[in-house]
Amino acid sequence: MFARRIAVVGTGYVGLTTGACLASLGHRVVCADSDAAKVARLQAGRVTIPEPGLPELVTAGLAAGRLEFVLGATQAVGNAEVVFLCVPTPMGEGGAADLRAVESVIAEVGARLPRGCILVNKSTVPVGTAAKIAELLDRDDVAVVSNPEFLREGSAVEDFLDPDRIVVGSDAEDAAERVVALYTRLGAPSVLTDAASSELVKYAANCFLAMKLSYVNAMAELCERLGADIADVTEGMGYDRRIGQSFLRPGPGWGGSCLPKDTYALAQVARVAGVEFPLLEATIDTNTRQRQLVLGKIRAAAGGSLRGKRIGMLGLAFKAGTDDLRDSPALAVAELLAAEGAELSAYDPAISGEVPGILTTDDPYQAVKGAAVIVLLTEWPEFRGLDWGRIGEMAQAPVVDTRNHLDPDVVRLAGLAWIGIGR
């Protein structure tokens, strides 16, 4: 494999993981960011993103001289053979992806890209963005390639270095092949296609996973009505190789930095294209409804009214293994609880500092002390190991386990009622 000179613009969890992992594969990588404080931290080898293995890769890359951090994209692209765009594309007006960060980088570095350079978009963007970038660049000597990321927060390094597939799309086949070659050492299957198909793959995959989660949440409600157990139902489903075990656990709804914005973005793309997509619309609606169903369980556990009741929340992040609060279902449920007059206290091992409307603490026992209802909202492993006997002495409160994460027998032995989802 030939080592390449690579620039990565953006050092969020996608950009930093991409840069550190490419450096570990032997490439020479310069990562750029517009945040001077963040760049200074990374230059010193300090990684604040809670990604297992990432601090070690950054330290190793810096020590080997294969990884560098600079302030400003123009400082990174001067002699790059490949430039990766890893900038945010949040949900914009009407659900469409907001591409202003992408467009800003193009305006900043477009004229500075070396002749023959390949510009790779790793950010999640709507179909047609590669063509739009090429138009904005207005340079025949720079190829534009789509290379979507499939990184899960909390396991991003593992996902990068042991991927299910590498997807690369471009109307310039030679450029796409050169990008695929960057990943040769990983030995993963590669999908070479056109730019539009590559851009759509990420949305298609994430929206399918969202559908799967909404489906299992609806199935959990049906289990409750019929006296069935969702754990047994999903186990029976999961052994079917056509379905698989993943994304079959019910919960308080899906959230995070990807699924909400990607489902809304694909729905918007479909509407603009004149394609009816009721299955996707129902997926989004079911997710919104799931939070209302969780609210109803908590209200019932509190005796029918939440006004003036203290609710002890275990977990705030959208999933375990991350400190990400973006579109967290825990916060969505908290907002509904507050609207009905509940007083909220919470503990999350990855969240420090203030969270609007919630009294946060660094002690899980303090979070649930005196609570009328205890609600588990994020599946942190440490919650299973809590002293539930001690909790039972501090709060004679029912436990609403929205992740079916706790051992019901342990909770009941502590003298507390256990209320799950679909069980």
Side-chain angles (χ1 to χ4, degrees), residues 11 37 44 110 115 132 143 149 184 216-217 236 259 283 309 317 323 350 358 371 390 407 421:
T11 60
R115 184 174 182 82
K132 182 176 182 179
E149 53 86 11
T184 299
V216 79
N217 278 335
L259 296 189
T283 296
K309 303 288 181 66
D323 61 354
I358 302 173
R390 178 184 173 188
D407 184 332
I421 302 290

Side-chain angles (χ1 to χ4, degrees), residues 368-379:
V368 302
K369 183 178 180 180
V373 182
I374 299 168
V375 186
L376 187 146
L377 289 155
T378 310
E379 69 285 19

Side-chain angles (χ1 to χ4, degrees), residues 215-228:
Y215 177 86
V216 79
N217 278 335
M219 189 59 66
E221 183 184 6
L222 186 60
C223 284
E224 291 183 5
R225 299 289 180 90
L226 300 179

Side-chain angles (χ1 to χ4, degrees), residues 147-159:
N147 175 215
E149 53 86 11
F150 301 97
L151 307 178
R152 297 166 297 169
E153 290 188 55
S155 58
V157 171
E158 177 186 353
D159 291 341

Side-chain angles (χ1 to χ4, degrees), residues 32-123:
D33 202 281
S34 59
D35 185 331
K38 181 191 288 189
V39 170
R41 287 195 303 269
L42 291 172
Q43 288 172 337
R46 297 198 303 273
V47 176
T48 58
I49 299 174
E51 285 294 338
L54 187 56
E56 294 81 0
L57 283 183
V58 169
T59 299
L62 288 169
R66 290 194 301 268
L67 184 61
E68 181 183 352
F69 296 96
V70 298
L71 181 63
T74 57
Q75 302 300 313
V77 304
N79 67 344
E81 298 171 87
V82 184
V83 176
F84 282 87
L85 298 183
C86 300
V87 296
T89 53
M91 190 187 307
E93 187 175 350
D98 185 341
L99 299 180
R100 284 180 293 180
V102 173
E103 294 167 355
S104 176
V105 172
I106 299 305
E108 182 181 358
V109 305
R112 296 174 179 265
L113 296 175
R115 184 174 182 82
C117 170
I118 300 173
L119 185 63
V120 182
N121 187 40
K122 213 158 185 62
S123 303

Side-chain angles (χ1 to χ4, degrees), residues 20 32 44 80 145 153 211 226 238 240 243 264 297 312 348 355 367 379 407:
V145 172
E153 290 188 55
M211 289 181 194
L226 300 179
D240 189 325
I243 298 173
Y264 278 98
K297 282 180 177 289
D348 188 295
V355 177
E379 69 285 19
D407 184 332

